[in-house]
Each structure stands twice: as structure tokens, then as C-alpha cells.
Amino acid sequence: MSRIWRTIRSFILWEYARGSWQYDVMVTLIVLFVFLSPFWINFNDKPVERAPHPSEVTVRPDGQGGFVYRVDASAVPEGDEEAVEAGLRRVIEPMAGEVNIVKHAPVKDAAGKLTAYDVWVQRQ
């Protein structure tokens, strides 16, 4: 029985020389643990999934010192020009600060359905 405990003690204290079969067994067990343990142990290290914001906005320069914002149509209420412009301003200003909307144009898909608005703005 003492021989078994001496062997276990030698493994724990890493007393075997490099290249011996005992050393190879220890290294193999460590490598197996590293590669196989994620299948059975939950380390809680997965990234948090984030859903895109419903009013997704993309920005690109317009080449004249301003920017063109593409705002998803679902983020803007339908209505007359003033209501649409107020909705566009409500979506853009939290990101860009106070801006002047120069113009806006609807973007439609191949079926003619309104999908987004292109909005040309100048920062104040």
C-alpha cells in the first residue's frame, strides 16, 4: 500500500525525469484534461449574445463634409413629412448630437416596400 502512495506522491510532486514513461503519462493526462474538459465542465466563458438594436443605423460620409445616415424604416413612424423628419431626428440625434437634416429619401426594396431612409445631415 505504501508503494501506491509513493507513486501518487511522485506524480503530485512531479518527481519523474523528463522522457520517462511516468512523465509522458502525466503530460498526456494534462493535455486530455485541457482539450476534453470543456465538453463536460461549464466554465461560463461564452460571449454574451447581443441582438442588434431595432433602430439600426449605418453612417457614411457624403464627400462634402456631411454624413449620410441610413435609418431602418421600422424606427420611424409613418405619416407626413414633418412626422417622418421628427422621427429621423429622434433616432439620429442621440448618436450624432444636434444636427441639421438637409434632406431625406426613402429606400425601397425590389418589391417597392419601404425598408429604410437615407438622411443627409450637417453637424451644427
Side-chain angles (χ1 to χ4, degrees):
M1 191 66 158
S2 70
R3 181 180 169 136
I4 294 173
W5 286 114
R6 268 189 278 137
T7 304
I8 293 172
R9 180 178 172 266
S10 297
F11 271 101
I12 292 173
L13 297 177
W14 203 273
E15 293 180 352
Y16 293 105
R18 191 173 184 185
S20 64
W21 70 270
Q22 293 95 341
Y23 183 91
D24 293 342
V25 168
M26 290 188 296
V27 170
T28 303
L29 290 173
I30 291 169
V31 169
L32 286 173
F33 175 78
V34 167
F35 287 108
L36 297 178
S37 64
F39 291 110
W40 296 289
I41 301 171
N42 183 10
F43 291 106
N44 294 322
D45 61 345
K46 294 188 174 42
V48 176
E49 292 185 26
R50 299 189 191 279
H53 194 274
S55 61
E56 183 177 321
V57 177
T58 57
V59 183
R60 66 180 193 273
D62 68 356
Q64 299 171 354
F67 296 97
V68 179
Y69 288 78
R70 178 160 288 181
V71 179
D72 191 44
S74 64
V76 180
E78 294 182 24
D80 61 349
E81 289 294 316
E82 288 180 16
V84 170
E85 192 166 314
L88 292 170
R89 186 177 309 280
R90 181 184 48 80
V91 171
I92 293 171
E93 283 188 343
M95 292 177 285
E98 204 168 320
V99 295
N100 289 328
I101 295 179
V102 177
K103 66 177 181 173
H104 65 275
V107 177
K108 297 183 179 182
D109 62 5
K113 181 182 175 199
L114 178 65
T115 59
Y117 288 95
D118 279 344
V119 185
W120 287 260
V121 300
Q122 292 286 332
R123 295 193 70 180
Q124 293 182 352

